[in-house]
Amino acid sequence: NPEPELQPEQQHEIPSNPHSNHYLTHFPKSKFCEVCQAAKQRAHQARKQELGNRSVDLAKEFGELIHADHIISVSCKGILGETTVLNMKDQATGLALCRSLPDKSGEEAYHAMSDFTEGLESVKFSTDNSLELMSALNKPEREREVKHKRSVEHRPQSHGIGERWNQEVINGVRCLLTQSGLPAAFWSLAVPFW
């Protein structure tokens, strides 16, 4: 049986292998990548609202605005007993740090935040109203000026950049584990490498 000839408008539907660099991060999601299809199953994104007259903080240098949030693993502890990930992403540079933590304590968050912002005289963090992150940012022994921008309580939409980064990390780690064939308990070791 010879294969049927495709019309020009049907040629874009031919599955092709994603570029080899795609297999390093699996970003953006490819409909032709089996790992992306298996690891990134989720509901469609809600419609975005127009910005209108609202102002947006635009950072120009590292440390001017860092988004921070926790991811808590409910279903599976990490291989070393970790239950939490602290995500931090600088808005100006895109530099990110994902650190797996044994628990969601303010002390653990303080050390991770200090490591990420080492050498800066002043920083500004944007977080949800997590008590642990608030206590980490308000420690009296801090050696630098720290500003804290908080989102509206119980409204994850008001901390959208942090929440979106959480989803990217979760999807990226799922892809790494799916592609490597490791069990889910290795998530805590995969988080820093995504």
Side-chain angles (χ1 to χ4, degrees):
N1 272 339
E3 291 191 27
E5 290 285 325
L6 293 177
Q7 300 300 322
E9 64 272 1
Q10 295 175 319
Q11 290 181 357
H12 71 279
E13 298 175 11
I14 299 173
S16 63
N17 290 333
H19 194 268
S20 62
N21 286 339
H22 172 79
Y23 293 113
L24 295 175
T25 61
H26 291 281
F27 186 78
K29 181 179 177 180
S30 170
K31 64 181 179 180
F32 304 118
C33 175
E34 293 176 16
V35 172
C36 286
Q37 294 303 314
K40 296 183 180 183
Q41 297 177 3
R42 59 183 295 231
H44 289 286
Q45 182 179 0
R47 284 183 283 168
K48 292 183 180 179
Q49 293 180 351
E50 292 296 322
L51 242 127
N53 294 330
R54 292 181 288 167
S55 64
V56 177
D57 290 337
L58 295 176
K60 293 176 180 50
E61 292 183 17
F62 179 74
E64 285 185 10
L65 186 58
I66 298 172
H67 300 276
D69 201 1
H70 281 109
I71 300 174
I72 300 171
S73 175
V74 178
S75 61
C76 179
K77 282 189 175 185
I79 196 153
L80 302 174
E82 299 93 336
T83 58
T84 307
V85 172
L86 178 62
N87 273 338
M88 293 173 283
K89 185 173 186 178
D90 181 64
Q91 184 173 4
T93 63
L95 183 65
L97 174 71
C98 303
R99 168 109 25 114
S100 55
L101 306 173
D103 54 32
K104 191 183 170 185
S105 71
E107 191 66 30
E108 296 288 340
Y110 170 74
H111 291 300
M113 290 173 146
S114 295
D115 289 347
F116 188 60
T117 59
E118 187 175 347
L120 295 177
E121 292 181 14
S122 69
V123 297
K124 181 177 181 181
F125 278 94
S126 171
T127 69
D128 53 8
N129 282 312
S130 163
L131 294 176
E132 296 80 13
L133 293 178
M134 288 172 50
S135 71
L137 292 171
N138 295 326
K139 280 206 172 275
E141 63 266 17
R142 275 211 169 272
E143 300 170 357
R144 64 190 77 138
E145 178 189 356
V146 176
K147 296 177 184 172
H148 188 194
K149 177 183 169 188
R150 296 179 212 149
S151 64
V152 179
E153 289 187 57
H154 309 294
R155 294 281 310 204
Q157 296 88 342
S158 64
H159 187 55
I161 294 174
E163 298 297 335
R164 180 65 198 141
W165 178 240
N166 282 351
Q167 283 301 312
E168 286 185 31
V169 169
I170 289 169
N171 289 338
V173 169
R174 280 185 188 147
C175 286
L176 288 175
L177 294 176
T178 302
Q179 188 171 15
S180 65
L182 291 171
F186 281 83
W187 66 262
S188 61
L189 298 176
V191 160
F193 296 102
W194 182 80

